[in-house]
Amino acid sequence: MEFETVIGLEVHAQLKTKSKIFCGCSTAFGAPPNTNTCELCLGMPGVLPVLNKKVVEYSMKMALATNCRINKMNRFARKNYFYPDLPKGYQISQFELPIAEHGWVDINVEEQHKRIGITRIHMEEDAGKLIHDEHEPYSYVDLNRTGVPLMEIVSEPDIRSPEEASAYLKKLHATLRYLDICDGNMEEGSFRCDANISLRPIGQEEFGTRTELKNMNSFRNVQRALEYEVRRQRDILLDGGEVVQETLLWDANKNITNSMRGKEEAHDYRYFPDPDLIPIVIYDDWIEDMRNTLPELPDQKRVRFEEELGLPGYDAEVLTASREFADYFEEALKHYPQAKKLSNWMMTELMREIKGEPSAVQSCLVTPENLGALLTMIDKGTISGKIAKTVFTEMMETGKDADTIVKDKGLVQMSDEGELLDIVKEIIAANPEQAADFKGGKTKLMGFFVGQLMQKTKGKANPKLANELFSKELNK
Amino acid sequence: MELHKLTIHELRDLLKKREVSAVDATRKVLERIDSVDDTIQAFITVDHNKALKQAEEADKLLQSGEGGELCGVPLSIKDVLCTKGIRTTCGSRILETFVPPYDATVVDKLNKSGAVTVGKVAMDEFAMGSTSENCAYRIPKNPWNPEYISGGSSGGSAASVAADECIASLGTDTGGSIRQPASHCGVVGMKPTYGRVSRYGLVAFASSLDQIGPITKDVRDCALLMNVISGYDPKDSTSVKRDVPDYSAALSKGLKGLKIGIPKEYFIQGLDAEVEKAVFNGIDILKEAGAETVEISLPHNDYCVAVYYMIAPAEASSNLARYDGVKYGYRDSSGESLQEMYRNTRSKGFGDEVKRRIVIGTYALSSGYYDAYYKKASQVRTLITEDFSKAYEKCDVIVSPVTPTPAWPIGEKIDDPLSMYLSDILTISANLAGIPGMSVPCGFSSKGLPIGLQFQAAHFQEEKLITTAFNLEQHLDLSPKRPEGL
């Protein structure tokens, strides 16, 4: 039997506001425990939340960027449950009336275009953190993270493979980064993902029993965990068994999923509207104001790169997948207006140096201007393409510009015909046998002669000129 | 001079003229507490040193001609309002050791006005109750007869004012908790419009119903305190951005043209004959003073108690979740697991009535029941609010008894929660609708217990309440004003 995979994703994005969602405390990561807290974070008796307007605005931006309908009247609800990292005994979230609903994003998987629906986007507060020390008979509570604003983005069950899941996540991630509303750091937990996954026989409309996957803190882990879960569920179903509805944790070391609890606890969160917060009313002109602040988004940029710069679709996709990479490209383009050549260099040489992590380009020591200058030197024949790669590696390490490195190391290409001709003659004189063979038709030996020349000139000889000179001299 | 027996305005005048000092007044009040509170049992915490220190500061301000309206005036504060550095128990064991690191906004306003806090007064645990018998520490007695309840939940506030153990007090009202004890103790109490006074630092019972208000010896003092505590607070999203009028200015207005609505649904079966007589006597006096009466109807009034006992416990079940033994207050660590710690802490830390309401509220919010209970109650609440809007098209002020009966003996209803809940029937609707309500003394029962009259007005029409109440107070001129022989 053939199965179809059905996946829905819930993404929690931590919003990049300076202060928390309901008080003035800092959201900075890594402060000493319980220092970014106040009576509100600590759930003291009598305190009241006051909504941070920025959280609403950031959520509106994401809603607009993902084609959602903004609910002009939305409100907060309390999600009630007991846990020591939740000081009030309830989380302030949104339930019946979230800020936005019914949106979509487009993804591309193996040249196939696909639209993934977004069910809803809502705002909520993060909980604190428990720290367990197995050598001590108690646990510690750190409430710095309590009240850090989160945006939850829930997809429709439109995703049909782990690859699509990964592409969808990357699209959301890029969009958040373009909007500059979330730093997207998965390891610090500012971009988290839970997945619901089920299998059903192809052709069947009804969904199969789903499991929920948690604890996947990288794109790679999400894809691997989903791939594992597809295999696990398929094996169960092929054996005639039944998938148990449960929450599973991904173990990235063992590459398996583990059941979180023996039996699924039926949580009743007793949601009800939070009486401490008045409904949020969003007027049309506020929405328009937000729309006007939207930057060019990944899809728009990709289309522009293709249409205006004539780049192939693949290049445009790679260049725009991260805002930093795209910004770098556009900046470099100002200094070196040959889009395709620049794109080639960035997708190969630069991408290799930043280990395939496009957003890492922001901390790279080579400025876009310096990269432009380097490529201009190749075009002008000042250095060869090969030398340029060495120069680039050094630029990445030292941050020096190409001109300085080339001058310091005397790497300027030898394009002086007279100077090169002497050496060419020398080499021919020193290798009479090869010269004779060449004349006899073994033209492949050209490589040998040019190689000798490069050795003698430490690679600086202009290769085109070298070829010309050898042809001329050897055919005399 | 018996300074403790003065009203705010009487004492303030003496203080401003420097005929007496704030320290004198505070000493007198503290002495009064020391001599009568063994009987009255109004105070959970009295901080003599802190009070005297505040009084000294107030004297300095008074000396230099500074200081606000309340400068040097000794007040008591219901133990549900957070006071920085002074234990705030909410009448509960679970907060026995809780000392807030911050002041409630109203406390901050009192402090800025130069008021002296003599202590924190008793109340039903987390303001849940109508007699203050649900206090984990002490049961405040009715100063007119210590065998009788002082009312609740702000029983300590009303008793301390009536017994002259303070000049005035702040209480809170979720379903009548200011108006009812004020009525039982023969003093003046006002529940302002929801949103008029900041709730920041008021330990929440039912957030959409709670409101802080004054309990005072006369209507003039009520206006004075309202001037100090009212206003928008950026720390409370439910407080309203609206100018605060000078409530004292409403005192000098007459009743000519004022329409008083008499809701037929309020004069119900079970209404005590003496209460009814005293209330109608009050209405007659208002008519003589120029007011007109008009019969009105509040058709959904029958549902008030049911709606209230869905919404208030639902909100309470969530508001009280934070008392889990993890961060502050009482913790029972005898168990082995986290679940046991929660269970033991909350089982022992909370009293019966609080637990009863947590259970009701948790049930009302449960999945599968939410629509039938909480949601339906919220819808009916809207209808109740609309009843009032319609009524205020026909009248300015609605008059009624505060409670169906005068105070009853301590212990009489404590094992009968349902009849206790029904005693709130006349005060609850103001909280559901968010409108202001006020209780003013209008007579005595044959047993010598005070009877109160309730005025309610449309949102933010507190001035109309003050005008009406002041006229009644002046024309009625009840005697004695406060219990004698304490």
Side-chain angles (χ1 to χ4, degrees):
Chain A
M1 204 185 330
E2 283 302 309
F3 294 100
E4 181 181 43
T5 305
V6 177
I7 296 169
L9 295 178
E10 285 172 20
V11 168
H12 284 90
Q14 186 180 313
L15 295 174
K16 246 172 90 176
T17 54
K18 285 199 181 74
S19 56
K20 293 185 179 181
I21 182 167
F22 296 124
C23 68
C25 289
S26 164
T27 54
F29 182 79
N34 297 309
T35 52
N36 287 342
T37 58
C38 64
E39 58 249 30
L40 192 105
C41 305
L42 302 178
M44 289 274 176
V47 296
L48 295 170
V50 178
L51 178 60
N52 181 343
K53 192 177 175 187
K54 274 270 181 295
V55 175
V56 182
E57 299 197 334
Y58 283 9
S59 304
M60 283 164 73
K61 286 186 186 188
M62 188 59 178
L64 292 170
T66 55
N67 313 291
C68 285
R69 197 189 70 204
I70 290 177
N71 281 326
K72 290 179 186 165
M73 213 282 278
N74 65 93
R75 70 172 161 208
F76 285 98
R78 293 185 184 177
K79 180 180 181 179
N80 295 284
Y81 65 95
F82 285 92
Y83 207 60
D85 68 3
L86 192 68
K88 299 187 297 302
Y90 58 85
Q91 179 193 29
I92 304 178
S93 181
Q94 295 195 294
F95 186 58
E96 281 181 329
L97 285 169
I99 186 160
E101 292 173 282
H102 312 302
W104 44 264
V105 293
D106 288 332
I107 58 167
N108 277 295
V109 174
E110 288 164 8
E111 309 288 307
Q112 291 285 310
H113 168 88
K114 180 154 182 189
R115 181 158 288 183
I116 307 293
I118 289 177
T119 314
R120 56 187 269 143
I121 292 178
H122 73 244
M123 305 174 278
E124 61 185 26
E125 57 177 348
D126 208 344
K129 214 165 72 182
L130 294 187
I131 299 150
H132 307 286
D133 182 337
E134 56 189 83
H135 302 297
E136 298 193 59
Y138 36 77
S139 298
Y140 296 91
V141 187
D142 177 7
L143 297 178
N144 281 348
R145 204 178 62 188
T146 304
V148 166
L150 295 178
M151 184 169 60
E152 182 171 327
I153 306 154
V154 183
S155 86
E156 290 287 306
D158 290 346
I159 300 164
R160 291 288 171 271
S161 69
E163 295 74 29
E164 285 183 17
S166 181
Y168 165 80
L169 273 186
K170 282 179 178 161
K171 176 53 67 72
L172 285 192
H173 189 264
T175 305
L176 290 164
R177 301 283 294 127
Y178 269 68
L179 293 171
D180 198 24
I181 57 173
C182 169
D183 71 18
N185 189 325
M186 288 184 88
E187 272 162 27
E188 284 178 9
S190 46
F191 184 86
R192 295 170 233 163
C193 169
D194 298 336
N196 285 303
I197 174 167
S198 63
L199 264 52
R200 63 180 170 191
I202 285 179
Q204 181 183 306
E205 260 192 51
E206 198 187 325
F207 291 136
T209 307
R210 64 185 165 82
T211 55
E212 189 181 356
L213 297 187
K214 287 179 180 286
N215 201 34
M216 305 168 289
N217 63 353
S218 69
F219 292 119
R220 194 173 141 77
N221 275 332
V222 171
Q223 193 167 339
R224 282 162 67 193
L226 287 168
E227 281 163 358
Y228 174 86
E229 191 56 19
V230 170
R231 287 197 302 274
R232 194 187 71 89
Q233 290 192 12
R234 180 200 303 273
D235 288 348
I236 292 172
L237 294 171
L238 286 176
D239 282 351
E242 276 179 22
V243 173
V244 179
Q245 186 175 335
E246 61 183 341
T247 302
L248 302 164
L249 293 183
W250 173 246
D251 183 336
N253 294 321
K254 295 185 187 154
N255 288 331
I256 54 167
T257 54
N258 290 314
S259 184
M260 197 162 137
R261 7 179 199 258
K263 65 174 172 23
E264 180 76 348
E265 282 176 53
H267 270 296
D268 183 353
Y269 292 119
R270 306 190 308 281
Y271 283 101
F272 76 107
D274 191 329
D276 287 333
L277 290 157
I278 50 177
I280 302 152
V281 179
I282 298 176
Y283 296 102
D284 286 340
D285 44 0
W286 194 10
I287 296 179
E288 283 321 300
D289 283 353
M290 285 300 111
R291 202 190 297 280
N292 292 334
T293 66
L294 292 184
E296 189 182 33
L297 292 163
D299 287 343
Q300 297 162 334
K301 209 182 267 290
R302 181 176 50 76
V303 169
R304 182 167 61 84
F305 282 8
E306 286 180 44
E307 288 175 359
E308 287 181 15
L309 302 176
L311 289 174
Y314 176 79
D315 289 43
E317 184 85 29
V318 174
L319 289 172
T320 57
S322 126
R323 181 178 184 166
E324 292 76 11
F325 209 63
D327 285 351
Y328 190 100
F329 173 77
E330 295 203 81
E331 187 57 32
L333 199 63
K334 288 183 196 161
H335 303 281
Y336 182 75
Q338 303 201 53
K340 181 57 185 154
K341 280 190 184 172
L342 177 61
S343 163
N344 285 348
W345 188 277
M346 283 184 64
M347 293 196 305
T348 52
E349 301 310 316
L350 180 57
M351 196 65 106
R352 178 164 49 241
E353 291 287 345
I354 57 180
K355 300 183 172 62
E357 190 54 63
S359 61
V361 79
Q362 59 184 337
S363 52
C364 121
L365 292 178
V366 180
T367 63
E369 187 180 352
N370 284 351
L371 176 60
L374 175 72
L375 299 186
T376 307
M377 286 172 90
I378 303 175
D379 285 0
K380 282 191 181 158
T382 316
I383 53 172
S384 68
K386 201 174 167 202
I387 290 284
K389 289 177 188 177
T390 348
V391 172
F392 183 67
T393 308
E394 186 156 348
M395 288 166 76
M396 285 297 294
E397 282 165 12
T398 63
K400 288 181 189 162
D401 65 59
D403 195 46
T404 310
I405 294 170
V406 166
K407 275 187 184 143
D408 284 359
K409 302 220 158 168
L411 296 175
V412 179
Q413 186 161 267
M414 292 171 68
S415 299
D416 184 296
E417 206 176 315
E419 199 182 343
L420 280 180
L421 189 59
D422 290 346
I423 310 171
V424 165
K425 283 179 176 167
E426 237 174 72
I427 291 168
I428 294 174
N431 298 284
E433 270 179 44
Q434 284 84 348
D437 287 351
F438 184 89
K439 283 174 189 169
K442 274 197 166 181
T443 52
K444 275 185 184 168
L445 281 166
M446 179 58 89
F448 164 77
F449 285 109
V450 175
Q452 292 288 307
L453 180 67
M454 287 298 171
Q455 216 166 27
K456 284 210 182 303
T457 61
K458 294 186 179 122
K460 287 185 290 181
N462 181 331
K464 202 172 152 215
L465 190 56
N467 266 298
E468 282 171 21
L469 290 174
F470 275 116
S471 298
K472 218 196 278 175
E473 288 304 309
L474 288 166
N475 289 322
K476 262 186 185 169
Chain B
M1 204 196 298
E2 293 187 305
L3 294 176
H4 55 279
K5 294 202 168 167
L6 300 180
T7 61
I8 297 177
H9 56 92
E10 289 163 351
L11 176 60
R12 182 199 55 184
D13 293 346
L14 295 177
L15 286 166
K16 288 224 159 136
K17 285 188 241 158
R18 303 308 292 146
E19 286 177 23
V20 297
S21 73
V23 169
D24 291 340
T26 303
R27 279 225 175 87
K28 278 282 180 205
V29 165
L30 290 170
E31 279 166 22
R32 175 72 170 180
I33 294 170
D34 292 341
S35 76
V36 303
D37 208 51
D38 280 349
T39 311
I40 304 298
Q41 305 267 304
F43 285 83
I44 293 177
T45 304
V46 180
D47 193 333
H48 290 72
N49 291 335
K50 202 161 180 150
L52 287 167
K53 218 170 257 168
Q54 277 185 322
E56 282 167 22
E57 290 301 315
D59 276 329
K60 279 184 206 156
L61 290 171
L62 286 162
Q63 199 66 45
S64 60
E66 293 168 60
E69 280 295 279
L70 300 175
C71 197
V73 177
L75 305 176
S76 74
I77 294 176
K78 188 176 182 182
D79 212 17
V80 75
L81 297 172
C82 285
T83 41
K84 189 175 178 177
I86 305 175
R87 181 172 77 130
T88 300
T89 67
C90 295
S92 180
R93 285 285 165 219
I94 211 154
L95 286 176
E96 189 162 5
T97 57
F98 177 66
V99 179
Y102 71 101
D103 275 324
T105 296
V106 286
V107 172
D108 191 45
K109 285 180 180 234
L110 294 184
N111 290 341
K112 288 207 171 104
S113 182
V116 173
T117 304
V118 289
K120 304 293 293 287
V121 281
M123 54 183 283
D124 284 300
E125 184 176 8
F126 287 104
M128 296 179 192
S130 310
T131 61
S132 298
E133 290 167 286
N134 298 324
C135 181
Y137 302 94
R138 43 183 46 208
I139 302 170
K141 309 297 185 293
N142 193 316
W144 297 84
N145 183 343
E147 306 275 302
Y148 282 71
I149 58 152
S150 57
S153 67
S154 307
S157 290
S160 64
V161 174
D164 293 315
E165 295 178 275
C166 60
I167 305 301
S169 186
L170 283 189
T172 63
D173 192 315
T174 306
S177 282
I178 286 175
R179 291 160 288 160
Q180 187 256 28
S183 168
H184 286 331
C185 292
V187 290
V188 174
M190 179 187 275
K191 179 203 96 73
T193 306
Y194 186 79
R196 174 81 290 183
V197 178
S198 168
R199 292 187 297 115
Y200 191 81
L202 155 61
V203 180
F205 156 20
S207 315
S208 74
L209 303 161
D210 296 341
Q211 192 65 193
I212 301 165
I215 295 182
T216 55
K217 292 174 184 176
D218 66 11
V219 177
R220 189 181 290 278
D221 278 5
C222 177
L224 261 170
L225 258 181
M226 279 299 292
N227 282 343
V228 175
I229 64 173
S230 300
Y232 169 72
D233 178 8
K235 288 180 181 169
D236 176 1
S237 314
T238 63
S239 71
V240 177
K241 272 185 192 156
R242 191 182 165 117
D243 287 342
V244 179
D246 176 9
Y247 290 109
S248 299
L251 295 167
S252 53
K253 288 187 185 150
L255 293 184
K256 203 132 206 94
L258 188 95
K259 282 191 185 145
I260 295 178
I262 304 175
K264 54 183 181 203
E265 291 84 0
Y266 276 24
F267 293 87
I268 44 167
Q269 253 192 338
L271 183 63
D272 182 277
E274 290 182 328
V275 169
E276 189 167 1
K277 199 175 147 214
V279 168
F280 276 106
N281 179 46
I283 294 173
D284 287 342
I285 285 172
L286 292 170
K287 279 206 254 185
E288 278 165 34
E292 296 167 40
T293 56
V294 47
E295 188 172 295
I296 55 151
S297 174
L298 300 166
H300 296 94
N301 193 59
D302 276 357
Y303 302 106
C304 280
V305 175
V307 167
Y308 179 84
Y309 279 97
M310 277 296 121
I311 290 175
E315 292 181 9
S317 71
S318 174
N319 283 332
L320 270 59
R322 67 188 62 197
Y323 311 111
D324 57 4
V326 173
K327 305 160 297 279
Y328 46 73
Y330 175 74
R331 175 193 291 180
D332 180 305
S333 353
S334 62
E336 290 292 313
S337 67
L338 177 66
Q339 293 303 321
E340 279 177 85
M341 191 280 280
Y342 283 153
R343 194 178 306 123
N344 295 338
T345 297
R346 290 169 65 83
S347 296
K348 292 178 192 168
F350 289 135
D352 286 348
E353 182 60 26
V354 169
K355 282 187 272 194
R356 183 161 29 238
R357 297 201 195 187
I358 289 174
V359 171
I360 294 172
T362 303
Y363 187 79
L365 290 177
S366 296
S367 127
Y369 297 98
Y370 177 84
D371 286 352
Y373 295 128
Y374 185 84
K375 203 167 187 177
K376 181 68 79 183
S378 302
Q379 288 162 348
V380 180
R381 182 179 184 177
T382 307
L383 296 177
I384 292 166
T385 310
E386 284 168 7
D387 279 358
F388 279 103
S389 305
K390 280 180 200 143
Y392 289 120
E393 287 169 8
K394 292 170 82 179
C395 68
D396 299 296
V397 168
I398 293 174
V399 67
S400 72
V402 182
T403 60
T405 66
W408 55 87
I410 289 170
E412 193 178 272
K413 291 188 184 175
I414 193 67
D415 297 321
D416 186 0
L418 204 58
S419 97
M420 189 91 95
Y421 294 174
L422 284 170
S423 73
D424 298 334
I425 193 158
L426 299 171
T427 46
I428 277 174
S429 53
N431 300 81
L432 291 172
I435 57 170
M438 189 169 182
S439 169
V440 195
C442 70
F444 294 94
S445 73
S446 51
K447 287 178 183 157
L449 291 166
I451 294 170
L453 188 149
Q454 174 172 243
F455 296 118
Q456 298 177 76
H459 294 100
F460 296 101
Q461 299 303 310
E462 283 84 354
E463 290 159 283
K464 285 183 183 165
L465 298 182
I466 288 168
T467 300
T468 318
F470 187 68
N471 275 280
L472 179 71
E473 187 182 65
Q474 296 302 303
H475 290 98
L476 203 55
D477 198 20
L478 284 177
S479 179
K481 297 260 185 282
R482 283 185 297 286
E484 287 159 346
L486 256 178

PDB file of all heavy atoms in Angstrom, chain A residues 13-27:
ATOM      1  N   ALA A  13       7.766  31.978  16.990  1.00  0.00           N
ATOM      2  CA  ALA A  13       8.845  32.921  16.699  1.00  0.00           C
ATOM      3  C   ALA A  13       8.895  33.952  17.818  1.00  0.00           C
ATOM      4  O   ALA A  13       7.889  34.573  18.152  1.00  0.00           O
ATOM      5  CB  ALA A  13       8.584  33.610  15.366  1.00  0.00           C
ATOM      6  N   GLN A  14      10.080  34.089  18.392  1.00  0.00           N
ATOM      7  CA  GLN A  14      10.258  35.092  19.441  1.00  0.00           C
ATOM      8  C   GLN A  14      10.429  36.447  18.776  1.00  0.00           C
ATOM      9  O   GLN A  14      11.282  36.606  17.903  1.00  0.00           O
ATOM     10  CB  GLN A  14      11.485  34.726  20.256  1.00  0.00           C
ATOM     11  CG  GLN A  14      11.695  35.606  21.452  1.00  0.00           C
ATOM     12  CD  GLN A  14      12.927  35.182  22.213  1.00  0.00           C
ATOM     13  OE1 GLN A  14      13.137  34.009  22.497  1.00  0.00           O
ATOM     14  NE2 GLN A  14      13.780  36.148  22.513  1.00  0.00           N
ATOM     15  N   LEU A  15       9.621  37.410  19.167  1.00  0.00           N
ATOM     16  CA  LEU A  15       9.672  38.715  18.511  1.00  0.00           C
ATOM     17  C   LEU A  15      10.789  39.571  19.094  1.00  0.00           C
ATOM     18  O   LEU A  15      11.036  39.557  20.292  1.00  0.00           O
ATOM     19  CB  LEU A  15       8.316  39.414  18.643  1.00  0.00           C
ATOM     20  CG  LEU A  15       7.188  38.688  17.894  1.00  0.00           C
ATOM     21  CD1 LEU A  15       5.845  39.334  18.184  1.00  0.00           C
ATOM     22  CD2 LEU A  15       7.465  38.647  16.403  1.00  0.00           C
ATOM     23  N   LYS A  16      11.429  40.315  18.183  1.00  0.00           N
ATOM     24  CA  LYS A  16      12.643  41.061  18.547  1.00  0.00           C
ATOM     25  C   LYS A  16      12.332  42.403  19.188  1.00  0.00           C
ATOM     26  O   LYS A  16      12.911  43.417  18.794  1.00  0.00           O
ATOM     27  CB  LYS A  16      13.411  41.336  17.254  1.00  0.00           C
ATOM     28  CG  LYS A  16      14.749  40.642  17.140  1.00  0.00           C
ATOM     29  CD  LYS A  16      15.310  40.834  15.754  1.00  0.00           C
ATOM     30  CE  LYS A  16      16.173  42.055  15.596  1.00  0.00           C
ATOM     31  NZ  LYS A  16      16.763  42.123  14.258  1.00  0.00           N
ATOM     32  N   THR A  17      11.429  42.436  20.161  1.00  0.00           N
ATOM     33  CA  THR A  17      11.154  43.711  20.827  1.00  0.00           C
ATOM     34  C   THR A  17      12.179  43.906  21.935  1.00  0.00           C
ATOM     35  O   THR A  17      12.743  42.942  22.438  1.00  0.00           O
ATOM     36  CB  THR A  17       9.750  43.701  21.459  1.00  0.00           C
ATOM     37  OG1 THR A  17       9.656  42.561  22.319  1.00  0.00           O
ATOM     38  CG2 THR A  17       8.676  43.602  20.391  1.00  0.00           C
ATOM     39  N   LYS A  18      12.384  45.165  22.325  1.00  0.00           N
ATOM     40  CA  LYS A  18      13.350  45.446  23.396  1.00  0.00           C
ATOM     41  C   LYS A  18      12.784  45.001  24.743  1.00  0.00           C
ATOM     42  O   LYS A  18      13.482  44.475  25.582  1.00  0.00           O
ATOM     43  CB  LYS A  18      13.650  46.946  23.454  1.00  0.00           C
ATOM     44  CG  LYS A  18      14.553  47.426  22.339  1.00  0.00           C
ATOM     45  CD  LYS A  18      15.181  48.771  22.713  1.00  0.00           C
ATOM     46  CE  LYS A  18      16.061  49.283  21.599  1.00  0.00           C
ATOM     47  NZ  LYS A  18      15.268  49.793  20.441  1.00  0.00           N
ATOM     48  N   SER A  19      11.473  45.256  24.946  1.00  0.00           N
ATOM     49  CA  SER A  19      10.879  44.893  26.232  1.00  0.00           C
ATOM     50  C   SER A  19       9.848  43.785  26.048  1.00  0.00           C
ATOM     51  O   SER A  19       9.448  43.463  24.932  1.00  0.00           O
ATOM     52  CB  SER A  19      10.261  46.121  26.900  1.00  0.00           C
ATOM     53  OG  SER A  19       9.319  46.721  26.044  1.00  0.00           O
ATOM     54  N   LYS A  20       9.437  43.227  27.168  1.00  0.00           N
ATOM     55  CA  LYS A  20       8.544  42.068  27.151  1.00  0.00           C
ATOM     56  C   LYS A  20       7.133  42.453  26.689  1.00  0.00           C
ATOM     57  O   LYS A  20       6.825  43.628  26.530  1.00  0.00           O
ATOM     58  CB  LYS A  20       8.509  41.435  28.549  1.00  0.00           C
ATOM     59  CG  LYS A  20       9.850  40.813  28.943  1.00  0.00           C
ATOM     60  CD  LYS A  20       9.764  40.085  30.279  1.00  0.00           C
ATOM     61  CE  LYS A  20      11.108  39.445  30.628  1.00  0.00           C
ATOM     62  NZ  LYS A  20      11.042  38.714  31.915  1.00  0.00           N
ATOM     63  N   ILE A  21       6.286  41.454  26.549  1.00  0.00           N
ATOM     64  CA  ILE A  21       4.967  41.713  25.964  1.00  0.00           C
ATOM     65  C   ILE A  21       4.030  42.458  26.919  1.00  0.00           C
ATOM     66  O   ILE A  21       3.222  43.256  26.473  1.00  0.00           O
ATOM     67  CB  ILE A  21       4.320  40.391  25.446  1.00  0.00           C
ATOM     68  CG1 ILE A  21       2.955  40.647  24.777  1.00  0.00           C
ATOM     69  CG2 ILE A  21       4.171  39.349  26.541  1.00  0.00           C
ATOM     70  CD1 ILE A  21       2.426  39.473  23.981  1.00  0.00           C
ATOM     71  N   PHE A  22       4.176  42.226  28.227  1.00  0.00           N
ATOM     72  CA  PHE A  22       3.218  42.846  29.159  1.00  0.00           C
ATOM     73  C   PHE A  22       3.868  43.678  30.259  1.00  0.00           C
ATOM     74  O   PHE A  22       3.224  44.042  31.229  1.00  0.00           O
ATOM     75  CB  PHE A  22       2.317  41.776  29.786  1.00  0.00           C
ATOM     76  CG  PHE A  22       1.441  41.068  28.784  1.00  0.00           C
ATOM     77  CD1 PHE A  22       1.488  39.685  28.664  1.00  0.00           C
ATOM     78  CD2 PHE A  22       0.587  41.784  27.959  1.00  0.00           C
ATOM     79  CE1 PHE A  22       0.686  39.026  27.733  1.00  0.00           C
ATOM     80  CE2 PHE A  22      -0.211  41.135  27.030  1.00  0.00           C
ATOM     81  CZ  PHE A  22      -0.167  39.758  26.908  1.00  0.00           C
ATOM     82  N   CYS A  23       5.190  43.910  30.175  1.00  0.00           N
ATOM     83  CA  CYS A  23       5.840  44.784  31.157  1.00  0.00           C
ATOM     84  C   CYS A  23       7.080  45.388  30.511  1.00  0.00           C
ATOM     85  O   CYS A  23       7.387  45.087  29.366  1.00  0.00           O
ATOM     86  CB  CYS A  23       6.208  44.014  32.430  1.00  0.00           C
ATOM     87  SG  CYS A  23       7.503  42.781  32.187  1.00  0.00           S
ATOM     88  N   GLY A  24       7.794  46.205  31.249  1.00  0.00           N
ATOM     89  CA  GLY A  24       8.926  46.916  30.665  1.00  0.00           C
ATOM     90  C   GLY A  24      10.264  46.194  30.760  1.00  0.00           C
ATOM     91  O   GLY A  24      11.296  46.744  30.371  1.00  0.00           O
ATOM     92  N   CYS A  25      10.279  44.947  31.260  1.00  0.00           N
ATOM     93  CA  CYS A  25      11.543  44.239  31.430  1.00  0.00           C
ATOM     94  C   CYS A  25      12.208  43.927  30.096  1.00  0.00           C
ATOM     95  O   CYS A  25      11.540  43.735  29.090  1.00  0.00           O
ATOM     96  CB  CYS A  25      11.320  42.928  32.188  1.00  0.00           C
ATOM     97  SG  CYS A  25      10.926  43.175  33.917  1.00  0.00           S
ATOM     98  N   SER A  26      13.539  43.835  30.142  1.00  0.00           N
ATOM     99  CA  SER A  26      14.310  43.564  28.929  1.00  0.00           C
ATOM    100  C   SER A  26      14.110  42.125  28.456  1.00  0.00           C
ATOM    101  O   SER A  26      13.906  41.213  29.249  1.00  0.00           O
ATOM    102  CB  SER A  26      15.789  43.798  29.221  1.00  0.00           C
ATOM    103  OG  SER A  26      16.579  43.199  28.219  1.00  0.00           O
ATOM    104  N   THR A  27      14.203  41.935  27.146  1.00  0.00           N
ATOM    105  CA  THR A  27      14.074  40.596  26.571  1.00  0.00           C
ATOM    106  C   THR A  27      15.442  39.980  26.276  1.00  0.00           C
ATOM    107  O   THR A  27      15.515  38.915  25.673  1.00  0.00           O
ATOM    108  CB  THR A  27      13.297  40.652  25.246  1.00  0.00           C
ATOM    109  OG1 THR A  27      13.943  41.612  24.400  1.00  0.00           O
ATOM    110  CG2 THR A  27      11.854  41.050  25.455  1.00  0.00           C
TER     111      THR A  27
END
